[in-house]
Amino acid sequence: MFGLSGSGKMRGRSSPLSTGSGRTDPHIPLKIQETCETVTMLAICLGMETPVTTINSNGNLVLLSEKHHPVTLDITYASSNNFTGKPIYQSSQCFLHIDALTCLLKATELLRPLNLRLKIWDAFRPLSAQQILFQHMPNPDYVGNPESDPCPHCRGVAVDLTITDRFGKELDMGSQFDDFRPLAHHGNALVSEEAQRNRLMLAGVMNIAGFKPLVTEWWHYQLPNVESYPLIPEAETPEGIM
């Protein structure tokens, strides 16, 4: 039976980064091993069997899937249904830094008693994709310049998302995703009362879970210490995205 030992470690189930004998892999930093254990425990508490798999050589990107995580994925930039009018990604795979995944799972747990679910439009974004988006929208209030701005998506620590009801219908947030107008800003007085409530609920849940908002985009949340995470170079981008 799954549980915790007196030291707080998992027992009765191997860590996703442990060796077959149950010992942790000495080649993977201890902080990442401990974070993987936290993610796995959260997922098991949510009733999800989640084999956490690190992808790039920094050992920090995790593949999200609807099968293993209690979220809905609708990766906008993998289709032409985005503000550029063309697919940016070749694949709809979704990756997130393991620290951000820990927080995301906390957010899903907060919404679960309300029969609400998170729907993700974007998470990790390769630098080359960021450059394409910046060429179409060269305004750092909405799309950062990959050559000079922090670009949290390119570090794997930002996520674009909304809330859906138990039938999968998106809650009214007052504007569409990637609406680059003041209407999408937090606190905009032109947004309906219902949309204001929904935005505040999303903001509250994400804040409690450990994320920080972006004032110009109601859908964007990121870890607060963005620049402590390195930009992920193209050579370490998971294969098949671009």
Side-chain angles (χ1 to χ4, degrees):
M1 182 177 178
F2 171 74
L4 296 177
S5 67
S7 64
K9 300 294 184 181
M10 293 189 296
R11 56 178 171 80
R13 190 183 297 266
S14 297
S15 164
L17 294 182
S18 65
T19 63
S21 63
R23 295 188 298 273
T24 54
D25 189 332
H27 301 292
I28 298 173
L30 181 59
K31 180 181 183 296
I32 293 175
Q33 296 181 37
E34 291 174 343
T35 306
C36 282
E37 289 189 348
T38 301
V39 169
T40 302
M41 286 189 284
L42 277 169
I44 292 170
C45 288
L46 290 168
M48 310 298 292
E49 288 288 336
T50 309
V52 176
T53 305
T54 57
I55 303 298
N56 67 337
S57 61
N58 283 334
N60 56 15
L61 287 183
V62 179
L63 177 66
L64 275 71
S65 72
E66 294 183 358
K67 178 179 179 181
H68 295 302
H69 302 93
V71 297
T72 299
L73 299 179
D74 182 14
I75 307 305
T76 300
Y77 301 129
S79 74
S80 59
N81 186 28
N82 63 71
F83 74 93
T84 72
K86 297 179 180 180
I88 306 300
Y89 304 153
Q90 293 184 0
S91 160
S92 60
Q93 288 183 314
C94 181
F95 294 89
L96 196 61
H97 191 286
I98 194 166
D99 289 354
L101 176 58
T102 302
C103 295
L104 188 72
L105 288 176
K106 291 177 183 176
T108 65
E109 190 173 8
L110 290 168
L111 288 173
R112 185 171 57 155
L114 303 176
N115 287 320
L116 299 174
R117 190 178 181 94
L118 292 175
K119 181 177 184 177
I120 297 174
W121 289 311
D122 197 27
F124 166 69
R125 182 184 302 159
L127 284 164
S128 56
Q130 185 74 24
Q131 183 62 48
I132 294 170
L133 297 181
F134 184 71
Q135 288 171 354
H136 282 83
M137 174 54 66
N139 183 340
D141 286 343
Y142 301 104
V143 180
N145 183 343
E147 296 182 0
S148 59
D149 294 319
C151 298
H153 280 287
C154 302
R155 302 168 192 262
V157 296
V159 60
D160 295 334
L161 76 177
T162 190
I163 298 174
T164 64
D165 64 20
R166 62 194 179 99
F167 301 108
K169 181 181 178 182
E170 295 176 14
L171 301 191
D172 178 15
M173 294 292 180
S175 81
Q176 298 297 314
F177 171 54
D178 276 353
D179 185 337
F180 302 131
R181 299 178 296 166
L183 194 66
H185 296 191
H186 286 282
N188 186 286
L190 298 179
V191 173
S192 72
E193 192 173 312
E194 179 185 2
Q196 291 283 16
R197 283 196 299 266
N198 291 336
R199 287 187 185 187
L200 287 171
M201 176 167 60
L202 178 60
V205 165
M206 296 300 283
N207 180 262
I208 292 171
F211 288 96
K212 176 183 176 181
L214 181 65
V215 67
T216 55
E217 297 178 353
W218 61 259
W219 56 83
H220 175 104
Y221 288 88
Q222 62 192 49
L223 295 185
N225 50 339
V226 165
E227 295 194 49
S228 67
Y229 296 90
L231 288 166
I232 297 173
E234 288 293 312
E236 295 181 17
T237 295
E239 186 178 354
I241 296 182
M242 299 298 291

